[in-house]
Amino acid sequence: MADDDIRIVLMGPPGVGKGTQAKLLTETLAVPHISSGDLFRTNYQEATPLGMQIKKYMTEGLLVPENITISIVMEAVLSSQAKKGFILDGFPRTITQAEALDQALTKQNKFVDFTLNIDVPTEQLVKRLASRLLCSSCQTTYNTETQPPKSEGLCDLCNTPLYQRDDDGQAAVKKRFQVYNNDSRPLLKYYGSQGKLINIDGTGTLMKVHQHLLQAISNISSNNIPG
Ligand code: AMP
């Protein structure tokens, strides 16, 4: 990397833990976590005009149309808070989005440094999604099996009730995996061909995966760029 800036894309199938890992990484790297899913969910929960427009796509596990997604994420990516970088989670999900991101950054002489692709077998992910709970206020993620909250149904951090995402139901999960395989998997090749793809084993504990991610970032920072 040319300077202290750091621009990371976190990738991986639904339920792989991108949001949780991104939150942990922001504490170490001191750059904002930009999650397209969180941006959309906030609008959806607050019933903003945008929220009403995207509700159908989100609950059915479909992609929100490109023009809406690209404009909302680019606003965050190009904001002053993200001047020194970002950890992007949930975006890009298509080649069109990746190209839009590259173009917007290039105009500012910036670029994505690398993509960390967290992988876990699909069967494990389906189980994880079925037991996932989310805080309706701060969006912290829990899992009733592997990472339960201290008080049942309440967020450890802000005591707000937890809920299950509409799109973690069986039908929407199936659709989300189809969409991931069709639209998002090609991104592995996109970033791989730029020499920017690093695969991370996501099957261990939350902290183990966090360590893998930190190690990968530290290898890159010391110019040990993997082939
Ligand atoms: P996530 O929290 O990343 O799993 O995203 C939840 C939902 O938000 C997705 O299933 C989509 O409906 C929508 N969404 C999030 N990010 C994108 C994106 N980059 N492109 C299109 N739709 C998105």
Side-chain angles (χ1 to χ4, degrees):
M1 284 167 294
D3 46 32
D4 288 346
D5 291 14
I6 187 160
R7 294 179 181 80
I8 300 177
V9 169
L10 266 191
M11 281 199 56
V16 83
K18 297 184 293 292
T20 309
Q21 294 297 339
K23 284 194 178 89
L24 288 173
L25 286 178
T26 52
E27 288 165 20
T28 313
L29 302 175
V31 287
H33 166 208
I34 301 174
S35 156
S36 47
D38 285 353
L39 289 170
F40 286 146
R41 261 183 301 281
T42 304
N43 277 279
Y44 170 54
Q45 282 161 0
E46 291 173 0
T48 64
L50 172 70
M52 295 297 92
Q53 219 181 333
I54 62 178
K55 180 176 171 183
K56 177 176 163 298
Y57 301 102
M58 291 194 73
T59 50
E60 290 181 18
L62 299 171
L63 292 184
V64 172
E66 299 284 41
N67 57 338
I68 301 177
T69 304
I70 290 169
S71 86
I72 191 164
V73 177
M74 282 315 118
E75 195 182 317
V77 160
L78 302 175
S79 71
S80 56
Q81 288 99 310
K83 211 166 60 189
K84 299 292 284 176
F86 50 72
I87 298 166
L88 259 180
D89 149 25
F91 185 99
R93 257 177 161 92
T94 65
I95 299 284
T96 304
Q97 293 177 11
E99 288 172 348
L101 175 65
D102 283 348
Q103 276 165 22
L105 290 176
T106 303
K107 280 188 193 150
Q108 301 199 337
N109 289 323
K110 294 172 180 166
F111 49 85
V112 169
D113 290 298
F114 49 92
T115 303
L116 297 169
N117 175 49
I118 310 176
D119 213 3
V120 169
T122 308
E123 318 80 70
Q124 277 189 40
L125 294 177
V126 171
K127 273 196 207 143
R128 279 194 200 178
L129 290 170
S131 47
R132 176 160 78 171
L133 292 176
L134 212 70
C135 172
S136 47
S137 173
C138 69
Q139 318 270 358
T140 299
T141 306
Y142 297 86
N143 188 292
T144 52
E145 305 284 324
T146 56
Q147 203 201 340
K150 290 190 184 108
S151 309
E152 198 183 325
L154 292 177
C155 178
D156 293 352
L157 304 181
C158 61
N159 222 33
T160 307
L162 305 178
Y163 74 103
Q164 183 178 36
R165 279 172 47 167
D166 288 346
D167 59 350
D168 278 349
Q170 229 177 348
V173 163
K174 193 169 169 211
K175 192 76 213 162
R176 285 162 65 201
F177 276 101
Q178 275 170 5
V179 169
Y180 174 78
N181 286 326
N182 285 341
D183 298 311
S184 304
R185 264 197 199 281
L187 288 169
L188 300 180
K189 208 165 166 198
Y190 180 88
Y191 286 114
S193 67
Q194 295 180 21
K196 291 187 175 177
L197 183 70
I198 301 161
N199 288 306
I200 304 286
D201 175 6
T203 55
T205 61
L206 193 147
M207 287 319 287
K208 186 90 190 154
V209 178
H210 179 55
Q211 290 306 326
H212 288 323
L213 291 166
L214 286 180
Q215 187 60 53
I217 293 167
S218 136
N219 288 345
I220 298 267
S221 306
S222 46
N223 278 335
N224 219 348
I225 299 173

